[in-house]
Amino acid sequence: MADIDTGSATIEVRSVTADDHAEWLRLFRDYIAFYEEDVPEDVIATTWQRLLAQEDNMIALIAIANGRALGIANLVFHRSTWARDWYCYLEDLFVAPDARGKGIGRALIEAVYAEADRRGASRTYWATQAKNATARTLYDRLGSLTDFVQYRR
């Protein structure tokens, strides 16, 4: 999908393949733990199958540098009542803690933007916790903070 040179290593960002399962799973579980959440194993397995098959307009990207998977981005493309075309929801973005600050997050977001553009999405958006200051520093450079507040049931 895209190669980005960070000076010390080239970061390859591409769609996941079946061979990426163990690495994607490790990173996805670390992501869930980072947010102190609990996702049942059967849901994780279903998510992997959907992402691998690019089913339900879901795809996963993986970032690799020096032969090691360092980050993932899981995307959901959907229609909107406010646009004729698609929106891209970056549902999950995670970079391994020891790889942060090395351009992996930026490379993943740029690859997300490229995929959204390729699919004709007019909006790409994501959410994070207000306390996630490290990630928000990057997000403030690559996106625009909105004034929306999220509610859940």
Side-chain angles (χ1 to χ4, degrees), residues 8-29:
S8 60
T10 298
I11 303 166
E12 175 193 9
V13 179
R14 60 170 172 74
S15 294
V16 296
T17 68
D19 292 340
D20 297 316
H21 182 248
E23 293 301 313
W24 176 89
L25 185 60
R26 173 183 58 82
L27 291 163
F28 191 61
R29 283 184 175 146

Side-chain angles (χ1 to χ4, degrees), residues 4-64:
I4 296 161
D5 189 353
T6 64
S8 60
T10 298
I11 303 166
E12 175 193 9
V13 179
R14 60 170 172 74
S15 294
V16 296
T17 68
D19 292 340
D20 297 316
H21 182 248
E23 293 301 313
W24 176 89
L25 185 60
R26 173 183 58 82
L27 291 163
F28 191 61
R29 283 184 175 146
D30 287 351
Y31 170 75
I32 293 166
F34 175 82
Y35 280 111
E36 300 175 348
E37 294 292 336
D38 182 35
V39 178
E41 286 301 314
D42 65 316
V43 173
I44 293 171
T46 299
T47 297
W48 169 252
Q49 290 304 315
R50 287 176 178 159
L51 293 167
L52 184 61
Q54 296 190 9
E55 180 181 298
D56 298 329
N57 292 307
M58 296 174 67
I59 70 164
L61 304 176
I62 193 163
I64 300 170

Side-chain angles (χ1 to χ4, degrees), residues 27-28 30-31 34 70-73 92-97 100 108:
L27 291 163
F28 191 61
D30 287 351
Y31 170 75
F34 175 82
L70 298 173
I72 57 170
D92 311 306
L93 177 70
F94 184 76
V95 174
R100 293 183 184 151
L108 281 163

Side-chain angles (χ1 to χ4, degrees), residues 116-130:
D117 291 347
R118 187 181 76 74
R119 292 175 177 240
S122 62
R123 178 178 293 177
T124 300
Y125 68 102
W126 62 94
T128 194
Q129 289 177 330

Side-chain angles (χ1 to χ4, degrees), residues 62-129:
I62 193 163
I64 300 170
N66 296 325
R68 183 172 162 233
L70 298 173
I72 57 170
N74 299 325
L75 318 176
V76 179
F77 287 87
H78 65 88
R79 294 290 191 183
S80 168
T81 59
W82 290 25
R84 287 185 192 93
D85 45 21
W86 294 86
Y87 281 4
C88 174
Y89 175 41
L90 171 52
E91 187 162 3
D92 311 306
L93 177 70
F94 184 76
V95 174
D98 64 334
R100 293 183 184 151
K102 296 181 168 110
I104 307 296
R106 175 181 290 277
L108 281 163
I109 292 172
E110 288 174 355
V112 168
Y113 285 166
E115 183 65 19
D117 291 347
R118 187 181 76 74
R119 292 175 177 240
S122 62
R123 178 178 293 177
T124 300
Y125 68 102
W126 62 94
T128 194
Q129 289 177 330

